[in-house]
Short mmCIF file of all heavy atoms in Angstrom, two decimals:
data_model
loop_
_atom_site.label_atom_id
_atom_site.label_comp_id
_atom_site.label_asym_id
_atom_site.label_seq_id
_atom_site.Cartn_x
_atom_site.Cartn_y
_atom_site.Cartn_z
N GLN A 1 -34.35 34.77 41.33
CA GLN A 1 -34.52 34.31 40.07
C GLN A 1 -33.97 35.34 39.10
O GLN A 1 -33.68 36.45 39.38
CB GLN A 1 -36.04 34.17 39.81
CG GLN A 1 -36.66 33.08 40.76
CD GLN A 1 -38.13 33.01 40.66
OE1 GLN A 1 -38.77 33.48 39.71
NE2 GLN A 1 -38.74 32.38 41.63
N LYS A 2 -33.87 35.02 37.76
CA LYS A 2 -33.17 35.89 36.80
C LYS A 2 -34.10 36.58 35.91
O LYS A 2 -35.03 36.01 35.16
CB LYS A 2 -32.17 35.05 35.90
CG LYS A 2 -31.09 34.32 36.81
CD LYS A 2 -30.05 35.38 37.28
CE LYS A 2 -29.05 34.83 38.12
NZ LYS A 2 -29.43 34.64 39.56
N TYR A 3 -34.08 37.86 35.93
CA TYR A 3 -34.72 38.82 34.96
C TYR A 3 -33.75 39.79 34.42
O TYR A 3 -32.70 40.00 34.94
CB TYR A 3 -35.91 39.53 35.75
CG TYR A 3 -36.96 38.62 36.26
CD1 TYR A 3 -36.91 38.10 37.62
CD2 TYR A 3 -38.03 38.14 35.46
CE1 TYR A 3 -37.82 37.19 38.01
CE2 TYR A 3 -38.89 37.12 35.87
CZ TYR A 3 -38.76 36.73 37.29
OH TYR A 3 -39.68 35.85 37.75
N ASP A 4 -34.21 40.60 33.50
CA ASP A 4 -33.40 41.69 32.92
C ASP A 4 -33.00 42.68 33.97
O ASP A 4 -32.02 43.35 33.89
CB ASP A 4 -34.13 42.28 31.73
CG ASP A 4 -34.21 41.43 30.50
OD1 ASP A 4 -33.50 40.34 30.56
OD2 ASP A 4 -34.96 41.68 29.65
N TYR A 5 -33.94 42.86 34.91
CA TYR A 5 -33.63 43.81 36.06
C TYR A 5 -34.00 43.18 37.29
O TYR A 5 -34.85 42.19 37.38
CB TYR A 5 -34.63 45.01 35.90
CG TYR A 5 -34.54 45.75 34.65
CD1 TYR A 5 -35.29 45.38 33.47
CD2 TYR A 5 -33.65 46.82 34.49
CE1 TYR A 5 -35.28 46.08 32.27
CE2 TYR A 5 -33.56 47.52 33.22
CZ TYR A 5 -34.41 47.19 32.15
OH TYR A 5 -34.27 47.86 30.99
N PRO A 6 -33.38 43.54 38.45
CA PRO A 6 -33.76 42.87 39.66
C PRO A 6 -35.23 43.26 40.06
O PRO A 6 -35.75 44.41 39.72
CB PRO A 6 -32.86 43.59 40.73
CG PRO A 6 -31.89 44.41 39.95
CD PRO A 6 -32.41 44.53 38.60
N PRO A 7 -36.00 42.40 40.80
CA PRO A 7 -37.39 42.65 41.09
C PRO A 7 -37.47 44.01 41.91
O PRO A 7 -38.36 44.76 41.68
CB PRO A 7 -37.69 41.51 41.98
CG PRO A 7 -36.88 40.39 41.51
CD PRO A 7 -35.59 41.01 41.16
N GLU A 8 -36.43 44.36 42.77
CA GLU A 8 -36.59 45.61 43.50
C GLU A 8 -36.79 46.82 42.50
O GLU A 8 -37.36 47.79 42.76
CB GLU A 8 -35.50 45.91 44.41
CG GLU A 8 -35.17 44.81 45.50
CD GLU A 8 -34.02 43.87 45.01
OE1 GLU A 8 -34.05 43.43 43.87
OE2 GLU A 8 -33.18 43.68 45.84
N THR A 9 -35.95 46.70 41.43
CA THR A 9 -35.97 47.77 40.43
C THR A 9 -37.32 47.77 39.69
O THR A 9 -37.95 48.83 39.49
CB THR A 9 -34.80 47.58 39.43
OG1 THR A 9 -33.61 47.56 40.11
CG2 THR A 9 -34.79 48.71 38.34
N ILE A 10 -37.73 46.67 39.18
CA ILE A 10 -39.01 46.51 38.43
C ILE A 10 -40.18 47.08 39.25
O ILE A 10 -41.06 47.73 38.76
CB ILE A 10 -39.28 45.17 38.03
CG1 ILE A 10 -38.13 44.57 37.14
CG2 ILE A 10 -40.65 45.03 37.26
CD1 ILE A 10 -38.26 43.16 36.72
N LEU A 11 -40.21 46.69 40.58
CA LEU A 11 -41.29 47.14 41.46
C LEU A 11 -41.07 48.42 42.11
O LEU A 11 -41.57 48.70 43.22
CB LEU A 11 -41.49 46.00 42.51
CG LEU A 11 -41.89 44.69 41.88
CD1 LEU A 11 -41.97 43.57 42.93
CD2 LEU A 11 -43.28 44.76 41.29
N SER A 12 -40.34 49.33 41.43
CA SER A 12 -40.17 50.62 41.94
C SER A 12 -41.04 51.65 41.17
O SER A 12 -41.46 51.46 40.09
CB SER A 12 -38.70 51.04 41.82
OG SER A 12 -38.31 51.22 40.46
N HIS A 13 -41.35 52.82 41.75
CA HIS A 13 -42.14 53.80 41.20
C HIS A 13 -41.52 54.39 39.96
O HIS A 13 -42.18 54.60 38.91
CB HIS A 13 -42.43 54.92 42.13
CG HIS A 13 -43.21 56.11 41.58
ND1 HIS A 13 -44.61 56.03 41.53
CD2 HIS A 13 -42.85 57.26 41.12
CE1 HIS A 13 -45.09 57.16 40.96
NE2 HIS A 13 -43.98 57.90 40.67
N SER A 14 -40.29 54.59 39.99
CA SER A 14 -39.57 55.19 38.89
C SER A 14 -39.55 54.21 37.60
O SER A 14 -39.77 54.68 36.48
CB SER A 14 -38.18 55.72 39.16
OG SER A 14 -37.40 54.71 39.78
N PHE A 15 -39.44 52.92 37.95
CA PHE A 15 -39.42 51.94 36.81
C PHE A 15 -40.76 51.86 36.22
O PHE A 15 -40.94 51.82 34.94
CB PHE A 15 -38.95 50.61 37.28
CG PHE A 15 -38.75 49.57 36.27
CD1 PHE A 15 -37.57 49.33 35.71
CD2 PHE A 15 -39.79 48.82 35.79
CE1 PHE A 15 -37.23 48.43 34.68
CE2 PHE A 15 -39.60 47.87 34.74
CZ PHE A 15 -38.36 47.70 34.23
N TYR A 16 -41.86 51.92 37.13
CA TYR A 16 -43.22 51.88 36.66
C TYR A 16 -43.44 53.03 35.77
O TYR A 16 -44.13 52.84 34.65
CB TYR A 16 -44.16 51.92 37.87
CG TYR A 16 -45.63 52.05 37.50
CD1 TYR A 16 -46.33 51.02 36.99
CD2 TYR A 16 -46.17 53.36 37.57
CE1 TYR A 16 -47.66 51.18 36.58
CE2 TYR A 16 -47.51 53.49 37.13
CZ TYR A 16 -48.20 52.44 36.68
OH TYR A 16 -49.54 52.71 36.24
N MET A 17 -43.01 54.16 36.07
CA MET A 17 -43.24 55.34 35.25
C MET A 17 -42.48 55.31 33.93
O MET A 17 -43.01 55.77 32.93
CB MET A 17 -42.92 56.60 36.07
CG MET A 17 -43.65 56.94 37.26
SD MET A 17 -45.36 56.97 37.07
CE MET A 17 -45.52 58.60 36.18
N ARG A 18 -41.32 54.69 33.95
CA ARG A 18 -40.51 54.70 32.75
C ARG A 18 -40.81 53.53 31.72
O ARG A 18 -40.77 53.63 30.61
CB ARG A 18 -38.98 54.55 33.20
CG ARG A 18 -38.21 55.79 33.34
CD ARG A 18 -36.63 55.64 33.45
NE ARG A 18 -36.24 54.31 33.70
CZ ARG A 18 -35.88 53.77 34.85
NH1 ARG A 18 -36.17 54.48 35.92
NH2 ARG A 18 -35.40 52.53 34.96
N LYS A 19 -41.02 52.31 32.41
CA LYS A 19 -41.18 51.16 31.53
C LYS A 19 -42.37 50.40 31.99
O LYS A 19 -42.32 49.25 32.44
CB LYS A 19 -39.92 50.29 31.74
CG LYS A 19 -38.60 50.88 31.21
CD LYS A 19 -37.49 49.93 31.52
CE LYS A 19 -36.15 50.49 30.93
NZ LYS A 19 -36.03 50.28 29.53
N LYS A 20 -43.56 50.96 31.79
CA LYS A 20 -44.79 50.27 32.19
C LYS A 20 -44.96 48.93 31.61
O LYS A 20 -45.50 48.05 32.34
CB LYS A 20 -45.95 51.21 31.93
CG LYS A 20 -46.15 52.30 32.87
CD LYS A 20 -47.51 53.07 32.67
CE LYS A 20 -47.58 54.19 33.62
NZ LYS A 20 -48.27 55.33 33.16
N GLU A 21 -44.79 48.74 30.35
CA GLU A 21 -44.97 47.47 29.69
C GLU A 21 -44.17 46.43 30.35
O GLU A 21 -44.62 45.27 30.71
CB GLU A 21 -44.70 47.58 28.18
CG GLU A 21 -45.33 46.41 27.48
CD GLU A 21 -45.69 46.75 25.99
OE1 GLU A 21 -45.81 48.02 25.67
OE2 GLU A 21 -45.78 45.85 25.28
N GLU A 22 -42.92 46.68 30.59
CA GLU A 22 -41.93 45.66 31.26
C GLU A 22 -42.39 45.50 32.73
O GLU A 22 -42.44 44.32 33.19
CB GLU A 22 -40.54 46.29 31.29
CG GLU A 22 -39.51 45.35 31.85
CD GLU A 22 -38.96 44.48 30.89
OE1 GLU A 22 -39.34 44.49 29.76
OE2 GLU A 22 -38.21 43.56 31.33
N PHE A 23 -42.90 46.55 33.31
CA PHE A 23 -43.53 46.33 34.81
C PHE A 23 -44.59 45.35 34.74
O PHE A 23 -44.64 44.49 35.60
CB PHE A 23 -43.89 47.72 35.31
CG PHE A 23 -44.75 47.66 36.48
CD1 PHE A 23 -44.03 47.73 37.79
CD2 PHE A 23 -46.13 47.52 36.43
CE1 PHE A 23 -44.77 47.58 39.00
CE2 PHE A 23 -46.83 47.50 37.73
CZ PHE A 23 -46.15 47.50 38.95
N TYR A 24 -45.51 45.58 33.88
CA TYR A 24 -46.76 44.70 33.81
C TYR A 24 -46.44 43.30 33.37
O TYR A 24 -47.11 42.30 33.82
CB TYR A 24 -47.81 45.32 32.93
CG TYR A 24 -48.64 46.25 33.77
CD1 TYR A 24 -48.70 47.62 33.58
CD2 TYR A 24 -49.54 45.69 34.79
CE1 TYR A 24 -49.48 48.46 34.35
CE2 TYR A 24 -50.24 46.49 35.54
CZ TYR A 24 -50.28 47.88 35.39
OH TYR A 24 -51.03 48.69 36.18
N ARG A 25 -45.38 43.10 32.54
CA ARG A 25 -45.03 41.78 32.25
C ARG A 25 -44.61 40.97 33.42
O ARG A 25 -45.02 39.89 33.69
CB ARG A 25 -43.89 41.73 31.15
CG ARG A 25 -44.25 41.10 29.85
CD ARG A 25 -43.08 40.66 29.05
NE ARG A 25 -41.94 41.54 29.11
CZ ARG A 25 -41.78 42.52 28.15
NH1 ARG A 25 -42.69 42.77 27.26
NH2 ARG A 25 -40.70 43.20 28.21
N PHE A 26 -43.79 41.62 34.30
CA PHE A 26 -43.22 40.98 35.54
C PHE A 26 -44.47 40.86 36.49
O PHE A 26 -44.64 39.84 37.18
CB PHE A 26 -42.19 41.81 36.12
CG PHE A 26 -41.68 41.33 37.47
CD1 PHE A 26 -40.67 40.36 37.57
CD2 PHE A 26 -42.23 41.79 38.64
CE1 PHE A 26 -40.22 39.89 38.76
CE2 PHE A 26 -41.81 41.29 39.87
CZ PHE A 26 -40.80 40.32 39.83
N TYR A 27 -45.26 41.87 36.59
CA TYR A 27 -46.38 41.92 37.53
C TYR A 27 -47.37 40.81 37.34
O TYR A 27 -47.80 40.13 38.28
CB TYR A 27 -47.02 43.33 37.52
CG TYR A 27 -48.10 43.55 38.53
CD1 TYR A 27 -47.80 43.95 39.82
CD2 TYR A 27 -49.47 43.38 38.12
CE1 TYR A 27 -48.84 44.12 40.68
CE2 TYR A 27 -50.50 43.60 39.03
CZ TYR A 27 -50.11 44.02 40.38
OH TYR A 27 -51.09 44.22 41.30
N ARG A 28 -47.82 40.64 36.08
CA ARG A 28 -48.74 39.56 35.76
C ARG A 28 -48.14 38.22 36.08
O ARG A 28 -48.80 37.28 36.55
CB ARG A 28 -49.17 39.58 34.29
CG ARG A 28 -50.11 40.71 33.92
CD ARG A 28 -50.57 40.55 32.53
NE ARG A 28 -51.22 41.88 32.09
CZ ARG A 28 -50.65 42.77 31.39
NH1 ARG A 28 -49.33 42.66 31.13
NH2 ARG A 28 -51.22 43.87 31.08
N ASP A 29 -46.82 38.07 35.70
CA ASP A 29 -46.19 36.83 35.79
C ASP A 29 -45.95 36.32 37.23
O ASP A 29 -46.02 35.23 37.64
CB ASP A 29 -44.85 36.88 35.02
CG ASP A 29 -44.24 35.50 34.88
OD1 ASP A 29 -44.90 34.50 34.92
OD2 ASP A 29 -42.98 35.51 34.75
N LYS A 30 -45.48 37.42 38.10
CA LYS A 30 -44.95 37.07 39.39
C LYS A 30 -45.77 37.63 40.60
O LYS A 30 -45.46 37.30 41.73
CB LYS A 30 -43.54 37.54 39.44
CG LYS A 30 -42.56 36.84 38.63
CD LYS A 30 -42.31 35.41 39.04
CE LYS A 30 -41.61 34.57 38.01
NZ LYS A 30 -41.65 33.13 38.36
N MET A 31 -46.66 38.50 40.41
CA MET A 31 -47.38 39.09 41.55
C MET A 31 -48.84 38.73 41.65
O MET A 31 -49.44 38.94 42.60
CB MET A 31 -47.28 40.68 41.41
CG MET A 31 -45.82 41.15 41.29
SD MET A 31 -44.72 40.71 42.67
CE MET A 31 -45.38 41.69 43.96
N LEU A 32 -49.41 38.19 40.57
CA LEU A 32 -50.81 37.76 40.61
C LEU A 32 -51.01 36.29 40.71
O LEU A 32 -50.90 35.56 39.82
CB LEU A 32 -51.50 38.34 39.31
CG LEU A 32 -51.57 39.90 39.15
CD1 LEU A 32 -52.25 40.25 37.83
CD2 LEU A 32 -52.29 40.49 40.38
N TYR A 33 -51.38 35.88 41.96
CA TYR A 33 -51.55 34.48 42.22
C TYR A 33 -52.98 34.39 42.69
O TYR A 33 -53.46 34.21 43.84
CB TYR A 33 -50.69 33.96 43.40
CG TYR A 33 -49.17 33.78 42.93
CD1 TYR A 33 -48.34 34.94 42.91
CD2 TYR A 33 -48.81 32.65 42.42
CE1 TYR A 33 -47.07 34.84 42.52
CE2 TYR A 33 -47.41 32.50 41.95
CZ TYR A 33 -46.56 33.63 42.03
OH TYR A 33 -45.31 33.42 41.61
#
């Protein structure tokens, strides 16, 4: 699927530390079922 960043990047520790808000947007949308 298409995002600004690949899911592997968004779900990485360094991305979480750098862009928490973006991480959580993806996390709520795609990881919480």
Side-chain angles (χ1 to χ4, degrees):
Q1 298 175 16
K2 297 288 178 276
Y3 296 93
D4 290 345
Y5 303 88
E8 303 100 313
T9 303
I10 299 174
L11 296 173
S12 68
H13 177 80
S14 48
F15 190 92
Y16 170 79
M17 297 305 287
R18 268 194 347 265
K19 295 177 178 281
K20 278 190 188 151
E21 197 153 340
E22 183 82 5
F23 169 90
Y24 270 112
R25 244 203 315 275
F26 178 88
Y27 185 81
R28 286 187 194 93
D29 188 30
K30 292 293 172 191
M31 306 302 288
L32 295 179
Y33 289 85

